[in-house]
C-alpha cells in the first residue's frame, strides 16, 4: 500500500524502513531534511513539505504520525486537518495520552478525515523483530491500514483493541507494567549483588533464568546483554527518566479506584532515582537522630 510517515525519529525512521522492506510505497517527511534525504537513499520518496507530501499520495491518503506526545502532535494534527481531504486517514502512533485522541478524532471527523490511534512497542529492536501494535478506531479504518500493520508487526503482533483512544490506553497500561517489571528485576539483582554470596555471576544468572524459568522475558534478555558488556554496570548512573505513560497509568488507577501499588511504587522509584541526597531522606536521618540519638552522616 501507499503510506506516508511523518516524523523520522528513532521509531519513525525504523518503521519507515520496515514498511519499505515489506514492499510498501513510503513517502516521508521530517522537520530536519537530512533524515528525509537518508530515507530517500534507502528507497523512500521524500517530501519537502507537508503539502508536497499530500500531493505525492494518491487519494484517499494514509498519513502515519510518529512525533513526541503533547503540543507537537496536537499541532501536527491541526495542520494536517487543513491539508488533507475528505476520505483521508491519519494514524497517530506516538506515545500520546489516550484522552487526547477524542479531540484529535473530532477535529478530523469534522472534515470527514478518519483517525486511528496506535500504541507501538518495540523500541530500537522493532526494525529487526517487529512492532507490537495496539490500535483503536473504527473497524473500516483499521482494515484499511492492515497491510501496513502486517508489515510492521511480527506474526499476530497487532490487534484492534477497541474504539478511538483504546490503542493508546492499552499501550499506557503496557508501559506501567513495564515499569514494574523493570523495578522487580532491579531489586532482585541488587539483592544478589549485595547478599551473602560474593561474586555471583549475575550475567550468567540472567541467561540461566531465560531458559525455562517462570521469570524469563525479553527484558531479562536485555539485562543479560547489558551485564555481558559491563558486569557492574559501572558506566551508568542510576538516574531513570519516565516517558509520562507511567504517570498517566497511576493517575488512571486513582480515577477508577483500582488498587495498583506495585505500578505506583515503580513510578515513584524512578522519581527517587533522580534525587541526590534527597531532602526527604535527610528528614528521616534527622528524625532518627532526634528521637533515638542514632548516628548520622554529615
Amino acid at each position: 500500500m501507499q503510506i506516508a510517515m511523518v516524523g523520522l525519529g528513532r521509531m519513525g525512521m525504523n518503521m519507515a524502513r520496515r514498511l519499505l522492506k515489506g514492499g510498501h510505497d513510503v513517502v516521508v517527511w521530517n522537520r530536519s531534511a537530512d533524515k528525509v534525504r537518508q530515507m530517500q537513499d534507502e528507497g523512500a520518496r521524500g517530501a519537502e513539505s507537508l503539502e508536497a507530501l499530500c500531493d505525492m499520495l494518491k487519494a484517499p491518503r494514509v498519513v502515519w504520525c510518529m512525533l513526541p506526545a503533547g503540543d507537537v502532535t496536537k499541532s501536527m494534527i491541526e495542520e494536517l486537518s487543513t491539508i488533507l481531504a475528505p476520505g483521508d486517514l491519519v494514524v497517530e502512533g506516538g506515545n500520546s495520552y489516550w484522552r487526547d485522541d477524542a479531540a484529535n478524532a473530532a477535529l478530523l471527523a469534522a472534515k470527514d478525515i478518519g483517525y486511528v490511534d496506535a500504541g507501538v512497542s518495540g523500541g530500537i529492536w522493532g526494525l529487526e523483530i517487529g512492532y507490537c501494535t495496539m490500535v483503536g478506531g473504527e473497524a473500516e479504518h483499521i482494515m484499511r491500514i492492515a497491510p501496513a500493520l502486517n508489515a510492521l508487526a511480527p506474526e499476530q503482533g497487532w490487534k484492534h483493541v477497541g474504539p478511538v483512544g483504546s490503542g493508546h490506553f492499552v499501550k499506557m497500561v503496557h508501559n506501567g507494567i513495564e515499569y514494574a517489571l523493570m523495578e522487580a528485576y532491579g531489586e532482585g539483582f541488587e539483592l544478589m549483588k549485595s547478599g551473602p554470596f560474593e561474586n555471583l555471576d549475575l550475567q550468567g544468572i540472567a541467561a540461566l533464568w531465560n531458559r525455562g524459568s517462570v521469570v524469563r522475558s525479553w527484558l531479562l534478555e536485555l539485562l543479560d546483554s547489558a551485564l555481558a558488556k559491563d558486569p557492574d554496570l559501572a558506566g551508568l548512573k542510576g538516574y531513570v527518566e519516565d516517558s509520562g505513560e507511567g504517570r498517566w497509568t497511576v493517575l488512571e488507577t486513582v480515577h477508577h479506584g483500582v488498587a495498583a501499588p506495585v505500578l505506583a511504587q515503580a513510578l515513584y522509584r524512578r522519581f527517587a532515582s533522580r534525587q541526590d541526597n534527597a531532602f526527604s531522606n535527610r528528614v528521616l536521618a534527622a528524625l532518627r537522630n532526634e528521637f533515638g540519638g542514632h548516628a548520622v552522616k554529615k
Side-chain angles (χ1 to χ4, degrees):
M1 66 175 288
Q2 190 179 71
I3 186 170
M5 183 66 68
V6 170
L8 298 175
R10 286 179 298 176
M11 292 283 282
M13 181 171 280
N14 278 345
M15 289 171 68
R17 288 173 171 140
R18 192 166 172 94
L19 287 167
L20 287 170
K21 288 183 178 180
H24 296 286
D25 178 10
V26 183
V27 181
V28 297
W29 179 85
N30 193 72
R31 293 195 186 278
S32 56
D34 58 324
K35 291 186 176 182
V36 174
R37 289 191 292 269
Q38 184 175 345
M39 289 307 304
Q40 284 180 304
D41 292 340
E42 297 182 31
R45 292 192 290 143
E48 296 181 353
S49 66
L50 289 174
E51 291 82 1
L53 176 138
C54 292
D55 290 341
M56 294 168 69
L57 297 169
K58 297 177 182 178
R61 305 167 184 83
V62 176
V63 178
W64 191 307
C65 297
M66 289 300 296
L67 299 167
D71 291 342
V72 174
T73 290
K74 180 182 178 182
S75 296
M76 178 56 65
I77 298 296
E78 292 173 349
E79 189 169 358
L80 287 173
S81 73
T82 67
I83 298 172
L84 295 174
D88 291 344
L89 176 63
V90 173
V91 182
E92 207 291 89
N95 281 334
S96 294
Y97 190 24
W98 70 272
R99 293 182 181 274
D100 293 339
D101 288 315
N104 291 338
L107 175 66
L108 294 172
K111 300 190 177 183
D112 197 24
I113 301 169
Y115 181 84
V116 168
D117 61 288
V120 184
S121 180
I124 60 175
W125 294 91
L127 175 60
E128 178 182 347
I129 65 177
Y131 298 90
C132 176
T133 310
M134 301 137 265
V135 286
E138 297 180 16
E140 63 176 295
H141 294 153
I142 305 300
M143 292 313 299
R144 187 166 154 195
I145 63 171
L149 293 170
N150 289 335
L152 288 169
E155 186 176 358
Q156 298 183 327
W158 70 269
K159 183 175 179 61
H160 181 193
V161 295
V164 165
S166 63
H168 283 144
F169 179 82
V170 173
K171 176 57 164 50
M172 176 194 73
V173 176
H174 163 283
N175 278 30
I177 293 171
E178 175 188 304
Y179 281 30
L181 289 172
M182 293 170 68
E183 178 62 24
Y185 283 132
E187 292 177 10
F189 275 80
E190 181 172 3
L191 176 59
M192 287 190 289
K193 186 172 181 59
S194 304
F197 300 99
E198 294 183 3
N199 301 320
L200 288 177
D201 179 7
L202 299 185
Q203 182 267 323
I205 292 168
L208 171 68
W209 283 358
N210 265 319
R211 288 161 177 79
S213 162
V214 296
V215 298
R216 65 187 181 274
S217 74
W218 183 55
L219 287 173
L220 197 55
E221 291 177 12
L222 296 178
L223 181 57
D224 175 3
S225 174
L227 290 170
K229 299 170 188 173
D230 184 357
D232 293 320
L233 302 181
L236 299 175
K237 185 176 181 181
Y239 182 104
V240 188
E241 285 286 7
D242 67 285
S243 64
E245 291 188 305
R247 302 186 189 203
W248 299 335
T249 303
V250 173
L251 288 173
E252 289 298 322
T253 67
V254 174
H255 181 75
H256 294 284
V258 174
V262 175
L263 302 188
Q265 183 61 21
L267 174 65
Y268 297 150
R269 283 283 290 166
R270 292 197 176 198
F271 294 163
S273 78
R274 304 166 202 169
Q275 300 175 7
D276 184 19
N277 193 24
F279 182 76
S280 60
N281 290 337
R282 300 203 301 274
V283 169
L284 295 179
L287 289 173
R288 292 181 76 248
N289 183 54
E290 291 294 326
F291 70 67
H294 299 286
V296 295
K297 292 185 178 181
K298 300 292 185 180

